[in-house]
Amino acid sequence: MLFIFDMGGVVTNTFLMDSLYKELNLSVTDFFKICKYKNNNIREDFELGKLSSNEFWSNFNKIVSSIKKMSAKKQNKIITQYDLSCNLDFNIIPEVKTDLFRLYFHPSKQEKTIELILKLKEKHRVVCGTNTNQSHWGNHLERGDYAFFNQTYASNIIGIMKPDPLFFETIMKAEGFSAAQTFFTDDKIENCEAAAKLGINTHHFTSAQKLFEDWSKYF
């Protein structure tokens, strides 16, 4: 059988990038909304591998710089148009000169999940299926977080993101398993729902202990 594990929130803890948003003087919500300026989505393009880390931050700086050059009246229109925080001050957002995604990313491992992965690998094919970006990909590689798996399928490498059904179909095709032979876990319910619609056996991850209990029968 094939077991697909998400990375963040499952193998490692869900790491909140509070330091990044604090340095930018932005809330996480405003940051994501700015990334969608003018109907683009540079954050999604980053996770699909269409932008490198340098290209992402270059684009982000250009967006902020262009808004800073506007009059206060036009800036207020942007705040209203994109439903940004009413007290947002674009002029205090600094120019980004280093990769903040890499600098402030320090997740910890969920040892119980890793124990489960290693046990399942004794009898089954176990892979990672993750939405990530170049910065976090490099960080996880350095830490050896992907080393527990037989293979890793990352959105920035394969160019497809969860919950797109093609993400799961691509992995199953590459691995040679049917949906009925495949098991998937993720901490995001929308990803589990997308996998379940394909007939994949899914487990919405809430704790490493619960997943271990449910899947230990496959050892």
Side-chain angles (χ1 to χ4, degrees):
M1 293 185 286
L2 174 66
F3 289 83
I4 307 172
F5 284 74
D6 176 40
M7 175 56 71
V10 177
V11 181
T12 59
N13 68 310
T14 302
F15 190 79
L16 303 177
M17 302 288 287
D18 293 341
S19 297
L20 183 155
Y21 308 120
K22 184 178 180 180
E23 179 156 335
L24 294 176
N25 296 309
L26 288 171
S27 69
V28 58
T29 303
D30 285 345
F31 175 76
F32 278 99
K33 288 178 180 177
I34 289 172
C35 287
K36 295 180 180 180
Y37 184 62
K38 289 190 174 179
N39 295 318
N40 294 313
N41 192 335
I42 60 172
R43 180 64 193 273
E44 183 175 289
D45 286 346
F46 189 27
E47 294 201 346
L48 285 170
K50 295 179 181 179
L51 295 175
S52 67
S53 303
N54 288 340
E55 289 169 336
F56 172 84
W57 288 115
S58 176
N59 276 275
F60 181 83
N61 285 334
K62 287 176 182 177
I63 290 170
V64 174
S65 177
S66 67
I67 297 173
K68 283 181 178 180
K69 293 175 183 176
M70 297 177 182
S71 65
K73 184 177 181 180
K74 286 185 177 180
Q75 287 187 14
N76 286 331
K77 284 185 177 180
I78 294 293
I79 288 172
T80 301
Q81 181 180 352
Y82 290 93
D83 193 25
L84 296 161
S85 301
C86 59
N87 61 345
L88 174 61
D89 184 353
F90 288 101
N91 297 309
I92 65 171
I93 302 174
E95 180 183 3
V96 179
K97 297 182 179 181
T98 190
D99 183 5
L100 301 184
F101 281 120
R102 187 70 175 269
L103 186 65
Y104 291 124
F105 188 59
H106 310 292
S108 60
K109 294 180 175 69
Q110 303 225 42
E111 297 298 339
K112 196 66 178 177
T113 302
I114 294 169
E115 181 184 350
L116 174 61
I117 291 167
L118 296 177
K119 291 240 181 217
L120 289 170
K121 275 180 68 180
E122 294 176 6
K123 293 185 178 180
H124 307 287
R125 183 77 173 169
V126 185
V127 304
C128 179
T130 179
N131 286 352
T132 190
N133 56 54
Q134 183 186 37
S135 307
H136 292 173
W137 166 261
N139 186 287
H140 281 302
L141 281 175
E142 284 182 355
R143 292 156 38 97
D145 296 336
Y146 299 127
F148 307 110
F149 296 101
N150 295 121
Q151 184 78 24
T152 296
Y153 297 90
S155 63
N156 65 307
I157 302 297
I158 66 174
I160 316 163
M161 290 177 64
K162 295 174 287 185
D164 188 334
L166 186 58
F167 181 89
F168 306 101
E169 292 169 346
T170 298
I171 295 175
M172 289 188 293
K173 182 178 180 181
E175 292 290 333
F177 287 88
S178 66
Q181 298 170 311
T182 301
F183 293 75
F184 171 70
T185 185
D186 198 299
D187 61 317
K188 292 184 171 59
I189 189 65
E190 62 268 27
N191 295 337
C192 292
E193 290 173 346
K197 287 179 181 178
L198 296 174
I200 294 171
N201 304 282
T202 63
H203 177 107
H204 178 219
F205 185 94
T206 55
S207 75
Q209 183 60 42
K210 182 65 168 62
L211 180 63
F212 194 98
E213 292 169 359
D214 284 3
W215 282 6
S216 60
K217 60 189 172 184
Y218 300 108
F219 294 166

